[in-house]
Amino acid sequence: MTNHKRHAEVAGAGFAGLTAATALAQMGWDVTVHEKAADLRALGAGIVLWNNSLRVMEELGLLDDLENHSMVPPFYETRIHNETVSREDFDGLPWRSMTRQHLHDVLVRGATAAGVDIRVDSEVVSADPEGSIILADGTTRSAELVIGADGVTSKVRDSIGFEQERTKSRDGITRLIVPRSKELLGPGDWDNVIDFWNFEPRVLRVLYVPCNNDDLYIALMSPAADPEGSAVPINLDVWVENFPHLEPVLIPAAKIHGRYDRYQTNLLTTWTAGRVALIGDSAHAMCPALAQGAGTAMSNAYTAAVAATQSSSEAVALSLEEWEKAERGITDRCQSRSAYFAETRSMSKGNQFTPEMLETALYDPTAKSR
Ligand code: FAD
Ligand code: 5PR
């Protein structure tokens, strides 16, 4: 190598990989990110970020760019059979909704500005705890630090043989972006996040999340065992019959093919092996109830970058073990709370964001490094 910078290899240009890469590059590392897809795009529809990931974006200098095309809904409202059961505003706790594409674009701009080398069409097929990865074209690349941010089907994880327990929930969701159409929806608080739950005549739910002036994220939840509720493209008749007041946004939703995903949880015995750290869904995929999958991914990406930077090259493996010890509890608790909500469908009762349930949202992963 021609420079003397410390070198890191990152598998996956999702929210976890891009956050880790940007943080490392800003801290002086030479970083290469490998993305197996042919282009840099976010999968999925909309997303909610809270204080933990927003503090990371601020620390990376990306908060202004993020705020530009996102919003803070006035309330997080919950309705059962269209009757409001709660309206939560989190007492000034920072939170924000946006499209996933916007968050991804901001992170790609941040990574590029920090000098990260992002390579598309570059699949990582395996990793070695001694500090190397192998690409699909057979190339081996060595590094002081390897980050496995390659999502729920992680090859970094599976090639090393991390032990994991995987659980699928009975419910799942189809997530779509449609035009806001506020004028068509008629009078109402359409800037709120609104979680519409129906239990009669069947279990169906629409999570309504405005992302900016133009884009609305809707997530349509149904049991996996209901072939009509889980059909894609969505079955317009069924959804309009159950949510007639949402017809103006369901009509465009039915024109998009979409994808129905069952919720799933992955619990690993450990997130690290030697110089390899797993971050994000590869390490801790969770149910989305508390909207913290990306939040915990970005938070752990940042703290792992700090831990490796503060360590000597010889002690990287040890520093990653200590990082896991410090960060693991808060992520595990969030994951199990999210699984509980998904299992019991008790988000429908409203007022779910108690101080305990907001523990992860409130966390500031940047505080210790300041
Ligand atoms: P991914 O986003 O999966 O990124 C992995 C990347 O790695 C991809 O780009 C992939 O193409 C690439 N890749 C995969 N394999 C390889 C390989 N072998 N080599 C190279 N590249 C590879 N979280 C929130 O914080 N707020 C929310 O509101 C929220 N809502 C959600 C709603 C639903 C329905 C679901 C299912 C999840 C939600 N989440 C939410 C969770 C969040 O989407 C994920 O936790 C987050 O995207 C994980 O990021 P990641 O970077 O770990 O993985
Ligand atoms: N919250 C958010 C979300 O996107 C989902 C859920 C909760 C922001 C799912 O898409 O509980 O399903 C949920």
Side-chain angles (χ1 to χ4, degrees):
M1 244 188 283
T2 51
N3 63 40
H4 300 289
K5 284 182 164 185
R6 304 175 74 182
H7 181 66
E9 291 282 325
V10 178
F15 302 137
L18 290 169
T19 303
T22 306
L24 285 164
Q26 289 187 0
M27 294 171 198
W29 293 67
D30 170 60
V31 187
T32 304
V33 176
H34 301 274
E35 169 54 51
K36 77 170 175 189
D39 47 15
L40 290 175
R41 262 194 293 128
L43 290 175
I47 193 153
V48 176
L49 296 187
W50 306 80
N51 184 65
N52 56 342
S53 42
L54 293 171
R55 290 288 67 78
V56 171
M57 292 301 277
E58 183 176 37
E59 202 62 26
L60 299 180
L62 301 176
L63 195 57
D64 288 345
D65 195 5
L66 188 81
E67 287 183 352
N68 261 329
H69 201 55
S70 60
M71 63 183 269
V72 183
F75 289 99
Y76 194 112
E77 183 177 345
T78 302
R79 299 190 195 178
I80 300 186
H81 300 126
N82 210 23
E83 289 286 326
T84 300
V85 293
S86 69
R87 282 155 62 92
E88 297 172 83
D89 70 358
F90 315 122
D91 265 342
L93 170 69
W95 69 301
R96 192 164 271 282
S97 58
M98 66 209 70
T99 66
R100 294 170 82 99
Q101 191 58 49
H102 177 60
L103 173 59
H104 197 265
D105 288 345
V106 172
L107 285 169
V108 168
R109 283 195 284 274
T112 307
V116 173
D117 177 9
I118 310 178
R119 304 186 178 183
V120 294
D121 262 329
S122 185
E123 185 183 5
V124 177
V125 292
S126 67
D128 184 328
E130 296 290 323
S132 66
I133 56 167
I134 300 178
L135 303 177
D137 68 7
T139 318
T140 300
R141 296 174 60 92
S142 303
E144 253 189 63
L145 172 68
V146 173
I147 303 275
D150 47 348
V152 72
T153 59
S154 174
K155 292 203 169 157
V156 170
R157 178 193 65 212
D158 295 345
S159 65
I160 292 176
F162 283 87
E163 256 179 74
Q164 63 166 333
E165 197 185 299
R166 189 181 291 218
T167 327
K168 284 223 173 194
S169 306
R170 66 181 154 162
D171 293 333
I173 207 142
T174 303
R175 302 164 284 163
L176 304 158
I177 296 281
V178 295
R180 287 288 302 269
S181 313
K182 258 209 260 192
E183 61 302 333
L184 299 175
L185 287 163
D189 299 330
W190 297 113
D191 283 349
N192 288 349
V193 167
I194 313 177
D195 197 1
F196 294 93
W197 286 81
N198 280 14
F199 288 94
E200 300 296 336
R202 61 210 287 175
V203 175
L204 288 177
R205 165 191 180 203
V206 177
L207 179 68
Y208 166 105
V209 184
C211 294
N212 54 52
N213 277 335
D214 306 314
D215 300 308
L216 172 69
Y217 162 42
I218 50 172
L220 297 97
M221 191 199 91
S222 148
D226 176 348
E228 288 180 331
S230 61
V232 288
I234 63 161
N235 182 323
L236 188 60
D237 292 344
V238 166
W239 287 94
V240 170
E241 197 177 301
N242 285 274
F243 300 94
H245 45 285
L246 295 179
E247 183 171 13
V249 297
L250 292 169
I251 291 171
K255 296 190 177 128
I256 307 171
H257 191 277
R259 212 181 77 183
Y260 174 87
D261 292 301
R262 260 169 91 174
Y263 297 149
Q264 71 167 296
T265 301
N266 282 15
L267 190 62
L268 272 64
T269 44
T270 168
W271 295 344
T272 75
R275 294 183 178 276
V276 178
L278 301 177
I279 293 173
D281 281 5
S282 63
H284 48 73
M286 63 180 74
C287 295
L290 290 172
Q292 275 294 350
T296 51
M298 293 165 68
S299 177
N300 291 331
Y302 181 82
T303 52
V306 171
T309 303
Q310 288 175 348
S311 151
S312 65
S313 175
E314 297 70 39
V316 164
L318 187 63
S319 76
L320 294 178
E321 279 174 29
E322 277 166 8
W323 158 76
E324 178 176 352
K325 250 185 240 151
E327 304 299 329
R328 178 114 196 197
I330 196 162
T331 297
D332 282 355
R333 289 191 291 280
C334 185
Q335 195 183 32
S336 83
R337 289 165 187 154
S338 298
Y340 167 82
F341 276 129
E343 198 46 45
T344 57
R345 298 175 177 151
S346 50
M347 305 272 292
S348 58
K349 295 188 190 130
N351 290 315
Q352 64 267 37
F353 293 103
T354 59
E356 183 194 343
M357 295 305 167
L358 285 174
E359 181 196 17
T360 315
L362 280 158
Y363 180 51
D364 180 357
T366 69
K368 279 179 260 175
S369 54
R370 258 189 251 124

